[in-house]
Amino acid sequence: MTTEQRNGTELGRFLRARRARVTPEEAGLTAGVGLRRTPGLRREELATLAGISMDYYTRLERGRETRPSPSVVDALARALRLEEVEHEHLRSLAARAARTAPEPPAAPSRTVRPGTRLLLESLRPHPAYVVSRTGDLLAWNPGGLRLFAGMADWPDRQRNIARYVFLHPAAREVFDDWEGQLRGCVGQLRALAGTDPDAPDLARLVGELLLKSPEFVGLWERYDIRGRTHGRKSFHHPDIGDLTLGYQSTHLEGTPAHRMVAYYAEPGTPEYDALVLLDMTAHEQPSAPGPDEEPRAGERQSGGRHTTGEPGG
């Protein structure tokens, strides 16, 4: 018996996880008497709230029913009190469950276009980088790498935002809201797992974090689907001190879900001066890109090898 057969579909796992997060009182029900074996709503309670039969909902949660109508999906989202991003994720899971044959996952490209690298360079001294759908660091300008203190010590292929946040010893001190960073990383990976659970790049990263990080294990089981694309973050950086920066994440069209993330500060502020210092003191000598990759932003070729261009150089 496969894991899918034992535990149901990803749709079923999401429904179980969210059902456990809603109390009868939050749903407007009377808790009643007797011992509740599981937290949150019972199956029959959720079925009643959604206006579907207990048998249908049970089959849906166990993966025996894979074609819920849009109206059923919307009714379940209302009963589970899902936020907009979670509601959209439920729709995606339902659409995937309805497929008759799984689509083989394609290996996502790690190539970053030269024009994108030029944009990263033009943003200096503001830290900026490009990440894959699983958070692999694909390209960066000097501050974009150095903002994550200690990540430059890792080899290129090991540099991943979630891996850094959960496993690098410096991360807990660098981020003012470290626990918020943990939740954000897991929310993004969970969203990807719902729509492409067989992706090899995702499976490798999640398997590693489940093995090495107790914090990841606990958050992964909660099944939160959340992610922020902009806002402000505070850092306690060992080289430039305490600072709070704005940030913006942008999806790069025409790529396999690559995103560009940039941090910024108003010119003339202490934060901006700190970013200038961070950019000017960058001295990393990165390894040469792979055969399918262009040199990174901030690099130039010299004598057949890649070197980092210092400011003004």
Side-chain angles (χ1 to χ4, degrees):
M1 182 177 290
T2 66
T3 301
E4 182 85 347
Q5 289 169 326
R6 287 194 303 268
N7 298 331
T9 61
E10 192 69 22
L11 173 61
R13 284 190 285 273
F14 180 71
L15 290 172
R16 281 196 300 273
R18 304 316 297 179
R19 177 165 61 84
R21 299 281 295 278
V22 181
T23 66
E25 291 78 11
E26 289 173 331
L29 300 175
T30 302
V33 296
L35 178 65
R36 301 180 73 90
R37 293 183 299 173
T38 58
L41 295 174
R42 293 172 172 144
R43 286 195 185 100
E44 59 268 25
E45 292 171 334
L46 179 53
T48 299
L49 288 169
I52 58 179
S53 72
M54 167 66 173
D55 177 66
Y56 181 85
Y57 177 76
T58 300
R59 287 187 286 114
L60 193 63
E61 193 172 282
R62 290 178 175 174
R64 297 172 185 166
E65 170 59 53
T66 59
R67 295 181 180 274
S69 68
S71 61
V72 167
V73 171
D74 292 344
L76 287 169
R78 288 191 296 271
L80 290 169
R81 305 168 66 86
L82 299 185
E83 296 180 2
E84 182 178 353
V85 66
E86 296 168 327
H87 190 167
E88 187 59 37
H89 184 69
L90 181 61
R91 291 193 184 104
S92 298
L93 292 179
R96 185 180 189 278
R99 296 175 190 166
T100 57
E103 298 176 0
S109 171
R110 295 174 58 90
T111 301
V112 176
R113 297 189 186 100
T116 302
R117 298 181 185 278
L118 185 61
L119 287 174
L120 291 175
E121 183 69 11
S122 71
L123 289 171
R124 295 174 66 177
H126 297 110
Y129 52 86
V130 173
V131 289
S132 71
R133 61 183 186 173
T134 57
D136 288 337
L137 213 59
L138 303 180
W140 54 85
N141 63 23
L145 180 62
R146 294 202 65 217
L147 189 62
F148 301 97
M151 189 184 284
D153 298 333
W154 282 356
D156 284 9
R157 288 280 175 164
Q158 190 178 350
R159 294 172 183 172
N160 175 281
I161 301 300
R163 182 180 289 116
Y164 175 83
V165 170
F166 279 95
L167 301 182
H168 199 289
R172 191 185 296 260
E173 300 301 325
V174 168
F175 295 104
D176 182 66
D177 183 14
W178 178 65
E179 293 183 354
Q181 283 291 122
L182 300 184
R183 292 190 296 272
C185 287
V186 173
Q188 291 176 350
L189 293 177
R190 256 306 184 188
L192 177 58
T195 56
D196 199 1
D198 300 321
D201 53 334
L202 175 68
R204 285 192 297 269
L205 178 62
V206 171
E208 177 186 357
L209 295 177
L210 286 172
L211 182 65
K212 297 179 180 179
S213 172
E215 291 89 357
F216 184 84
V217 173
L219 290 172
W220 188 251
E221 294 303 319
R222 286 175 59 86
Y223 217 130
D224 285 330
I225 306 295
R226 293 179 183 176
R228 298 185 63 185
T229 58
H230 63 281
R232 298 183 67 79
K233 290 183 184 179
S234 295
F235 298 83
H236 305 293
H237 200 280
D239 297 326
I240 55 174
D242 295 349
L243 70 165
T244 298
L245 303 173
Y247 72 91
Q248 176 69 54
S249 173
T250 304
H251 174 68
L252 297 177
E253 297 290 343
T255 69
H258 292 177
R259 289 179 296 115
M260 179 184 289
V261 183
Y263 289 83
Y264 57 88
E266 289 286 341
T269 63
E271 285 81 4
Y272 183 86
D273 293 341
L275 294 183
V276 171
L277 178 62
L278 188 71
D279 181 82
M280 290 178 60
T281 55
H283 54 76
E284 186 216 8
Q285 299 291 329
S287 59
D292 63 336
E293 299 178 12
E294 297 290 333
R296 292 184 186 84
E299 295 178 8
R300 64 179 184 273
Q301 278 196 301
S302 175
R305 71 184 182 89
H306 295 280
T307 58
T308 301
E310 297 295 337

